[in-house]
């Protein structure tokens, strides 16, 4: 589910921020998030591609923030791990039904409005804001 990927990513970033520059491995992060390390490694890869974190391999390696928490907006985290819309449309409404024939275009409009509102809000919130509320 897309929203859980975002929650896992923000949780991960908060842990990295609180680690004070000490790299954290996927197993340590997975224990806090209460998930499998594979889920964390996928999340770390997405965040590294977005240049939100750096990952060092080998002994003493792990993940760390690439920038200060005040310079990381939740929108870039959301786009790194979600990439999609906030909800999915049902795949095959009945075309002979007047509702089924038109529901996709209406819901696409609704989805666009929601997605834009989510992006505007996330663009205003930083990782530092999250840390201050923990």
């Amino acid at each position: 589910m897309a929203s859980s990927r975002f929650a896992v990513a923000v949780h991960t970033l908060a842990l990295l921020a609180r680690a004070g520059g000490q790299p954290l491995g996927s197993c340590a992060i997975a224990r806090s998030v209460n998930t499998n390390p594979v889920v964390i490694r996928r999340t770390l890869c997405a965040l590294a591609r977005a240049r939100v974190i750096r990952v060092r391999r080998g002994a003493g390696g792990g993940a760390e923030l690439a920038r200060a928490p005040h310079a990381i907006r939740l929108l870039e985290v959301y786009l790194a791990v979600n990439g999609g819309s906030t909800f999915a449309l049902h795949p095959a409404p009945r075309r002979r039904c007047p509702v089924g024939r038109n529901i996709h275009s209406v819901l696409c409009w609704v989805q666009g409005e929601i997605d834009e509102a989510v992006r505007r809000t996330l663009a205003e919130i930083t990782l530092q804001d999250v840390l201050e509320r923990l």
Side-chain angles (χ1 to χ4, degrees):
M1 172 176 273
S3 60
S4 66
R5 287 192 302 262
F6 175 69
V8 167
V10 173
H11 186 141
T12 298
L13 292 172
L15 285 172
L16 295 177
R18 294 188 78 180
Q22 189 78 325
L24 294 179
S26 59
C27 289
I29 297 168
R31 278 192 297 277
S32 177
V33 176
N34 196 26
T35 192
N36 190 296
V38 172
V39 171
I40 298 303
R41 284 192 283 277
R42 285 187 195 128
T43 301
L44 293 174
C45 285
L47 294 171
R49 277 192 304 273
R51 295 190 170 114
V52 175
I53 64 165
R54 288 186 294 266
V55 177
R56 286 191 259 157
R57 300 194 187 326
E64 60 187 351
L65 295 180
R67 298 186 305 260
H70 71 270
I72 298 172
R73 301 228 168 250
L74 293 192
L75 178 59
E76 61 188 310
V77 177
Y78 177 79
L79 295 175
V81 298
N82 270 12
S85 297
T86 51
F87 67 87
L89 299 175
H90 63 299
R94 188 171 171 91
R95 303 313 273 164
R96 289 184 182 166
C97 171
V99 172
R101 184 172 41 248
N102 297 302
I103 196 68
H104 270 186
S105 63
V106 173
L107 288 178
C108 283
W109 166 75
V110 170
Q111 189 172 44
E113 295 292 315
I114 292 169
D115 290 345
E116 183 55 36
V118 167
R119 284 179 171 88
R120 272 195 313 271
T121 300
L122 293 176
E124 296 296 318
I125 302 171
T126 66
L127 180 58
Q128 184 64 44
D129 297 325
V130 171
L131 294 171
E132 290 170 4
R133 292 176 180 260
L134 286 177

